[in-house]
């Protein structure tokens, strides 16, 4: 009986380890970036999808529709101090962050409802701030969506696009 129990435990352990190792890593893992601009700490939390040989802009991410600016839960943008985004004031706080992409002009949205799944329950009436920016073609393709915070701007880079906005 004792040998049977030990055999069972060994087999169960081998199965459990094999199962854990076989689990697929998420296709759009959660990522976070933190930086400082003019003394304000900014943190962006987002799901980072990969291009994986897909056409992104205008297809996977349709033009002229609200997009969660990442994958899974809505991207969040948090600042501990008031900021000026593209010349307009954004009060300190935590926001969901959306983009309405377009070839010539994209709308950047900071929405007061920070906890949302995707953009499914997005409500324009909850927008704190909307600004327009021009997307730029990047010098190189970026496989995994990434946000960067520099001295005076925030940039989303994915595939062959960079969507940046000025921050003061």
């Amino acid at each position: 009986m004792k040998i049977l129990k030990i055999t069972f435990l060994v087999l169960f352990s081998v199965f459990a380890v094999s199962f854990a190792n076989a689990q697929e890593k998420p296709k759009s893992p959660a990522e976070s970036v933190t930086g400082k601009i003019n003394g304000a700490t900014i943190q962006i939390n987002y799901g980072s999808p990969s291009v994986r040989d897909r056409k992104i802009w205008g297809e996977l991410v349709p033009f002229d529709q609200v997009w969660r600016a990442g994958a899974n839960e809505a991207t969040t943008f948090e600042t501990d101090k008031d900021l000026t985004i593209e010349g307009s004031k954004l009060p300190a706080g935590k926001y969901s962050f959306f983009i309405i992409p377009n070839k010539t002009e994209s709308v950047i949205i900071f929405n007061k409802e920070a906890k949302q799944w995707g953009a499914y329950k997005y409500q324009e009436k909850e927008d704190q701030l909307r600004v327009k920016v021009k997307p730029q073609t990047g010098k190189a393709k970026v496989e995994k969506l990434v946000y960067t915070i520099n001295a005076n701007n925030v940039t989303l880079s994915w595939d062959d696009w960079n969507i940046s906005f000025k921050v003061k």
Side-chain angles (χ1 to χ4, degrees), residues 35-111:
K36 284 196 175 277
I37 297 179
N38 288 336
T41 300
I42 297 169
Q43 182 173 14
I44 302 170
N45 294 300
Y46 60 100
S48 179
S50 296
V51 173
R52 296 191 315 267
D53 295 322
R54 300 176 290 182
K55 178 153 175 46
I56 302 303
W57 304 107
E59 288 191 19
L60 181 67
V61 177
F63 288 139
D64 304 315
Q65 292 182 27
V66 174
W67 172 55
R68 62 183 136 197
N72 305 322
E73 290 188 35
T75 296
T76 59
F77 182 100
E78 186 170 8
T79 175
D80 64 349
K81 294 190 168 116
D82 293 354
L83 298 173
T84 301
I85 308 287
E86 292 289 324
S88 296
K89 184 180 176 186
L90 179 69
K94 185 173 185 178
Y95 302 93
S96 54
F97 180 77
F98 299 102
I99 298 175
I100 302 173
N102 185 286
K103 285 182 186 177
T104 58
E105 187 174 71
S106 293
V107 178
I108 305 295
I109 302 168
F110 298 87
N111 186 272

Side-chain angles (χ1 to χ4, degrees), residues 83-142:
L83 298 173
T84 301
I85 308 287
E86 292 289 324
S88 296
K89 184 180 176 186
L90 179 69
K94 185 173 185 178
Y95 302 93
S96 54
F97 180 77
F98 299 102
I99 298 175
I100 302 173
N102 185 286
K103 285 182 186 177
T104 58
E105 187 174 71
S106 293
V107 178
I108 305 295
I109 302 168
F110 298 87
N111 186 272
K112 293 181 269 189
E113 185 64 41
K115 185 77 173 153
Q116 298 187 49
W117 179 260
Y120 303 108
K121 293 186 179 180
Y122 164 79
Q123 293 183 14
E124 185 175 343
K125 69 181 183 178
E126 294 298 321
D127 290 352
Q128 178 67 47
L129 177 66
R130 282 179 163 227
V131 296
K132 294 180 180 178
V133 298
K134 294 186 184 302
Q136 303 293 318
T137 301
K139 294 178 182 176
K141 285 197 171 223
V142 177

